[in-house]
Amino acid sequence: MSDSTATFDTTISTRLMQSTAHVLVALVVFACVAAVLWRAMHLPLFNFSRVHIAGDTVHSNESDLRTRVLPQLQGNFFTMELGQARTAFESLPWVRHAVVRRVFPNQLVVQLKEYQEAAYWGSDEEGFRLLSHDGVIFEVNTDEAVRSNLPELNGPDEFAPQVLATYRLLNPLFAPVHGRIARLSVDARGSWSLALDQDTQLVLGTATPEELAHRVQQFVQTIGPVVARYNRGMNDVQYADLRYKSGYALRLKGLGTLNAAATDNTPQTGRR
């Protein structure tokens, strides 16, 4: 019985030693392969040598990106973290969104989407930023804006999308008097005012967008006959207060009037 037990123990020990040896050999082989792969992954061949910029870009070019972004990037084709690379590209002032992908063996392809300016945001006193087509405020050198005749919009920053939507609603309504909104603003209480490119100041007051549009339409439809009675034109309108339910107050160049009745549009009170 003891001889059988000794033989059995010897067999187990032999098999255990063989298994251990196999594991050790496998570990050594794995370590060697890993070392070779690590060295291969870090060969200069895989360092990014080319950046291809895709997308409809106006303010971002490959030369600028090489100067401003590439020094921030770390790693090569195998080791670069694309999330960090995307963040680096999106840190550029005009870049709204970036998609970064690798092309073997050493090319980086970047799909950029830039902000498209729709308006200036701010005032002369506070300084101007730019407002994108979807109502996002972004800070860049405003002199780099491509579009000309951008309107100046202003208000609390959280109102930016609402101000842009209101501008888009009201601006076409001035076409009959050949006017264009040059400035539109709303204060923290929700009171609106604007200025036309003819230097006409309009006070709209607090109202819903639909009510604002109604006040503007009433003004546009009636202002021609009113100023004609004084031998003046739209360019002579310096100021109009549209907060009245049945009319509006006017200040013409050299003359002030109050239109108190919307039914006949007859100026009833003069003031200077």
Side-chain angles (χ1 to χ4, degrees):
M1 185 71 178
S2 60
D3 291 341
S4 299
T5 301
T7 301
F8 181 73
D9 290 342
T10 302
T11 302
I12 293 177
S13 299
T14 301
R15 290 179 178 177
L16 181 60
M17 291 176 62
Q18 291 176 343
S19 298
T20 301
H22 290 159
V23 171
L24 291 175
V25 171
L27 289 175
V28 171
V29 171
F30 177 79
C32 291
V33 172
V36 171
L37 289 176
W38 188 92
R39 290 180 64 86
M41 289 170 58
H42 290 79
L43 289 175
L45 169 67
F46 302 114
N47 294 334
F48 290 111
S49 60
R50 182 182 175 190
V51 178
H52 176 67
I53 307 301
D56 186 12
T57 60
V58 176
H59 302 278
S60 305
N61 56 66
E62 186 169 338
S63 176
D64 186 47
L65 292 172
R66 282 183 175 276
T67 302
R68 302 179 61 178
V69 178
L70 290 188
Q72 303 179 43
L73 303 182
Q74 297 180 352
N76 62 14
F77 178 85
F78 294 104
T79 61
M80 176 180 288
E81 294 188 15
L82 294 184
Q84 293 181 353
R86 183 181 67 251
T87 300
F89 283 103
E90 290 178 350
S91 67
L92 293 175
W94 281 94
V95 176
R96 174 73 184 274
H97 181 65
V99 177
V100 183
R101 62 185 180 90
R102 295 170 281 212
V103 177
F104 188 82
N106 55 13
Q107 183 177 351
L108 199 64
V109 176
V110 185
Q111 183 82 26
L112 296 181
K113 181 178 181 181
E114 291 187 334
Y115 290 104
Q116 294 183 3
E117 66 273 28
Y120 295 108
W121 181 261
S123 63
D124 289 328
E125 296 77 16
E126 300 173 354
F128 286 100
R129 292 168 286 174
L130 287 178
L131 189 64
S132 72
H133 275 273
D134 49 358
V136 176
I137 302 169
F138 61 105
E139 296 193 23
V140 296
N141 181 357
T142 55
D143 292 336
E144 296 177 357
V146 175
R147 289 184 55 198
S148 59
N149 295 325
L150 290 175
E152 297 176 5
L153 308 182
N154 193 23
D157 284 355
E158 61 271 21
F159 288 5
Q162 180 183 353
V163 177
L164 181 60
T166 302
Y167 165 80
R168 289 171 173 165
L169 172 67
L170 300 183
N171 190 54
L173 302 181
F174 291 98
V177 294
H178 307 288
R180 180 184 65 86
I181 296 178
R183 295 184 298 277
L184 174 67
S185 63
V186 62
D187 61 24
R189 297 173 297 175
S191 183
W192 295 84
S193 62
L194 63 84
L196 300 178
D197 55 351
Q198 302 155 330
D199 290 329
T200 300
Q201 309 290 324
L202 302 183
V203 176
L204 304 179
T206 303
T208 65
E210 293 75 16
E211 291 170 334
L212 294 175
H214 174 72
R215 294 176 185 180
V216 168
Q217 288 173 324
Q218 176 178 264
F219 172 77
V220 169
Q221 292 168 1
T222 60
I223 189 60
V226 171
V227 296
R229 294 182 182 183
Y230 295 89
N231 297 319
R232 286 172 169 80
M234 185 63 193
N235 290 335
D236 294 312
V237 179
Q238 293 180 323
Y239 171 89
D241 188 341
L242 311 189
R243 292 175 292 179
Y244 297 90
K245 292 183 178 180
S246 58
Y248 45 81
L250 286 178
R251 183 169 66 242
L252 304 178
K253 292 180 179 179
L255 177 68
T257 68
L258 174 63
N259 179 8
T263 55
D264 62 6
N265 293 310
T266 302
Q268 297 187 3
T269 302
R271 59 178 181 177
R272 294 184 183 273

